[in-house]
Amino acid sequence: MLILGIETSCDETSAAVVRDGWEVLNCVISSSQKDFTAMGGVIPEDAARKQLESILPVIELALKKANIGHNDIDSIAVTYGPGLLGSLLVGTSTARVLARIWNKPLLAVHHTLGHLSSTWLKEMKSEKRIVKNDTVSIANDEPHFPVLTLSVSGGHTDLWYRNAHTNGVLAGTTRDDAAGEAFDKGAVLLGLPYPGGPALAKLAESGDETTFDFPNPLQHEKNPDFSFSGLKTSLKYLLRDLGPKAEDQKTRVDIAASFQFAICRHLGSRITMALEMYPETKELHIVGGVSANLRLRALATDIGKRADVTVRWPSVLSYCTDNAAMIAAAAYFEQTEKTERKPAFQTQATASLQELIAATNTAA
Ligand code: KG4
Ligand code: ZN
């Protein structure tokens, strides 16, 4: 089954052609992110205007690079939420029109379900890396459920325990900021450019992460929820207390490394707790923008070794952050696993995946 995926939930305009939920024939991602560097964040109306200009050329390019015509695709999948409403509407309106004129079925996909599907994606010419104990091998792409997935981005931080691609329970979630938001806010405090996560990770590269001690939140809680707002406040006070010394380059890299470690350690402690709660887990996945973080990957690899579970993250960097290939993949799994699921297609800025899964399970 060949699916054309469309994703426009934030500042990106992306279209991809994916076969059977795994093989990416092509994925085009056009982002207006650099236009917002000077503003320190996305301006929703500006992002939507840029997406309106780029959506058709991006779709055309994805089809052309995949070397197929629109007659070859079986269906069109589009993100219906959550995200910026204007941006989402550009994608959903375009998808509706194309589905009508090309006479193709239209599939609505939850953005988070897209991220949860991103670890299976494989570029036609590259192989997926998985890490099992000390060996790095080529995955045979067979999913081994149950899978515990840390979905960690600028908008959400969730732990999903799934027995199938499109079914499972939300084991833990953030009570305040998302992990990516913590990276972004920390970067602002350190005077780094938007988007802050990659910039802070870069600054942290040569730092000593043991220099400054940040709190490890929610250690006495019995469920694997997250909280990041305290870490951000601690960083603010640390910078205030250090005064001019915080401007010193060596101190800056050590602060960045220690702050990054605190975020990753907190994520790691929640993963460990969830693995104890769900001992049948066969694979640990990390997905979403923050899964690009190398410190987090190293920590997840250690946890995977200790728990004897396979660890995966998206095979290429562009599948960590928002992209249309993951939307096409999720749509495929929705079709193959839940043929009865017909979510009401309404573009929604605040769509809950937990409610969607619960509603489907009740109906089934
Ligand atoms: O999944 P994504 O592209 O968009 C959302 O759905 O939010 O994630 C973007 C987030 C941003 O907060 C960004 O700073 C963070 O992912 N991020 C990183 C790294 N690359 C992206 N955070 C830490 N280290 C990175 N290397
Ligand atoms: Zn995302």
Side-chain angles (χ1 to χ4, degrees):
M1 195 192 296
L2 266 188
I3 300 184
L4 169 67
I6 298 174
E7 150 72 35
T8 59
S9 66
C10 189
D11 56 15
E12 72 295 329
T13 310
S14 180
V17 182
V18 180
R19 180 182 288 127
D20 293 345
W22 320 91
E23 286 181 289
V24 184
L25 271 58
N26 199 262
C27 179
V28 176
I29 306 170
S30 151
S31 171
S32 57
Q33 203 169 65
K34 60 179 179 326
D35 299 333
F36 298 118
T37 306
M39 329 295 181
V42 179
I43 298 173
E45 289 76 10
D46 283 0
R49 242 174 258 131
K50 289 180 168 68
Q51 284 162 319
L52 210 47
E53 286 166 16
S54 59
I55 184 84
L56 288 176
V58 163
I59 293 171
E60 259 180 80
L61 189 62
L63 291 171
K64 191 171 161 217
K65 285 188 158 183
N67 207 16
I68 59 163
H70 64 257
N71 284 332
D72 302 319
I73 59 168
D74 294 294
S75 45
I76 299 176
V78 63
T79 309
Y80 72 90
L84 303 173
L85 189 58
S87 297
L88 287 166
L89 281 167
V90 173
T92 53
S93 312
T94 308
R96 277 179 203 275
V97 172
L98 292 180
R100 177 63 71 92
I101 59 175
W102 291 347
N103 197 22
K104 304 287 176 191
L106 180 59
L107 313 167
V109 175
H110 192 285
H111 181 76
T112 303
L113 199 60
H115 279 299
L116 295 184
S117 307
S118 61
T119 37
W120 312 115
L121 293 171
K122 184 173 158 187
E123 274 186 328
M124 282 297 270
K125 284 198 189 111
S126 74
E127 300 293 353
K128 189 194 300 278
R129 278 180 82 232
I130 65 166
V131 182
K132 173 96 180 170
N133 295 330
D134 281 332
T135 58
V136 175
S137 58
I138 304 304
N140 62 2
D141 287 332
E142 276 297 308
H144 296 109
F145 290 102
V147 171
L148 181 73
T149 305
L150 172 71
S151 177
V152 71
S153 75
H156 59 265
T157 301
D158 299 326
L159 266 172
W160 284 91
Y161 179 68
R162 286 178 298 154
N163 51 11
H165 289 283
T166 60
N167 209 345
V169 291
L170 184 63
T173 190
T174 184
R175 296 185 182 174
D176 40 57
D177 293 347
E181 211 175 341
F183 268 105
D184 293 340
K185 287 179 177 172
V188 169
L189 290 171
L190 286 166
L192 297 168
Y194 170 86
L200 196 145
K202 179 110 196 61
L203 184 65
E205 266 169 17
S206 56
D208 176 357
E209 66 185 23
T210 62
T211 312
F212 299 102
D213 202 18
F214 285 92
N216 194 358
L218 305 183
Q219 283 314 289
H220 302 295
E221 295 282 333
K222 296 257 179 308
N223 67 329
D225 276 349
F226 305 86
S227 171
F228 293 97
S229 59
L231 288 178
K232 176 198 64 194
T233 309
S234 297
L235 175 59
K236 198 164 135 192
Y237 289 140
L238 174 68
L239 293 171
R240 183 199 62 189
D241 295 346
L242 285 171
K245 193 170 182 297
E247 302 299 317
D248 168 64
Q249 186 57 12
K250 169 82 179 88
T251 311
R252 273 168 64 75
V253 298
D254 289 343
I255 295 172
S258 305
F259 185 67
Q260 170 177 259
F261 175 64
I263 294 174
C264 295
R265 178 180 58 184
H266 182 44
L267 293 169
S269 82
R270 310 288 87 188
I271 294 172
T272 303
M273 181 186 277
L275 285 172
E276 282 164 12
M277 282 170 67
Y278 299 103
E280 296 82 20
T281 303
K282 292 209 174 69
E283 297 197 8
L284 167 65
H285 294 193
I286 49 171
V287 302
V290 182
S291 69
N293 188 276
L294 298 181
R295 187 66 187 90
L296 177 60
R297 289 181 176 190
L299 208 133
T301 305
D302 286 346
I303 293 171
K305 264 187 220 165
R306 279 202 300 275
D308 195 27
V309 296
T310 300
V311 181
R312 294 193 203 223
W313 49 77
S315 60
V316 293
L317 218 53
S318 56
Y319 301 155
C320 295
T321 45
D322 294 341
N323 68 87
M326 67 185 196
I327 301 303
Y332 173 80
F333 299 129
E334 287 261 31
Q335 290 293 98
T336 49
E337 289 183 347
K338 298 256 165 136
T339 44
E340 78 282 5
R341 179 185 283 174
K342 297 273 180 291
F345 187 177
Q346 216 181 358
T347 310
Q348 287 173 43
T350 54
S352 157
L353 181 58
Q354 202 179 12
E355 281 168 22
L356 174 68
I357 290 177
T360 320
N361 289 342
T362 311

